[in-house]
Amino acid sequence: MTCKKKLGRNQKDTNDDMINLVDNLNREDDLKYNRRAFLKTAVGTSVALGVATIPFSVKAMLGMEKDYERVEITKLADLPEGESVVFNYPTEKDPALLVHTVNGDLKAYNSACTHLMCPVFYEKEQDVLLCPCHAGYFDVNNGHPTAGPPQRELPLIEIEVDNGIVYAVGRQYRHG
Amino acid sequence: MGKKTYWGIIIATIIINVVMLQWTVEAFLGREYDVLFTYNIISLISAGVALFSYFQWRKVEYTK
Ligand code: FES
């Protein structure tokens, strides 16, 4: 029997009405995924996104900056040019880096990379701060990112030299 | 207002809120607390607008 002789609904890939009755089986989906449901989800998304900003404000209010203490970092004599020393400031949980640059400047920054918090270190050959994780480069003179993924500058630690001893006295989060 | 308008408003609030959330996180990480609160407030207002438009839309949509 050739196709021509068959009834419409018996032919290959037919669209005959009596075949496509099963399309009705999708009616549950039609009820669930429709225009109205889409809008409701959209509203839910918008509200959820809005509410998601609250925790940041709350955390910010709880953790407002306190006064900074004066903390001894190291003796200047122990830190020749081109060397750096690691310390923690303002709290034990904030690693920081004091650099005596090859040009003779003293610079200190929190050393957690502003990309994903890997510790940066001082690279004296190129006179830069380098984050090894994703090759992020920071200018050692102002802490601003120069290459790689980091977008924000490193927090600057204010230092003071007194009687050959270097002290940390403050911190600036966004600077320059 | 027509239903289309409410759709537009709601989609717009999503866009605003996505951007605000991103900026809030940035401001939080950079300790820029004053702008953080601003973004936060904008974001909450826009969420409120979304809810309000939704209820308005529902009124229109489900009346015969
Ligand atoms: S963590 Fe420093 S570049 Fe990614």
Side-chain angles (χ1 to χ4, degrees), chain B residues 4-22:
Chain B
K4 285 261 167 61
T5 321
Y6 294 124
W7 275 80
I9 295 175
I10 289 167
I11 305 284
T13 66
I14 296 184
I15 296 169
I16 295 175
N17 278 352
V18 167
V19 175
M20 284 305 143
L21 185 57
Q22 160 74 12

Side-chain angles (χ1 to χ4, degrees), chain A residues 48-115:
Chain A
L49 285 167
V51 170
T53 57
I54 295 179
F56 292 97
S57 283
V58 172
K59 198 127 190 274
M61 278 197 263
L62 295 179
M64 286 287 194
E65 302 272 287
K66 304 145 213 102
D67 285 343
Y68 292 106
E69 293 164 46
R70 179 179 160 114
V71 174
E72 176 178 340
I73 306 175
T74 183
K75 292 202 192 62
L76 195 49
D78 295 344
L79 192 69
E81 289 179 3
E83 292 298 307
S84 57
V85 60
V86 176
F87 62 104
N88 293 308
Y89 192 84
T91 70
E92 280 303 305
K93 284 193 227 107
D94 300 289
L97 189 71
L98 172 66
V99 184
H100 199 172
T101 67
V102 284
N103 301 324
D105 293 330
L106 282 174
K107 297 283 172 189
Y109 303 100
N110 276 124
S111 60
C113 176
T114 53
H115 177 223

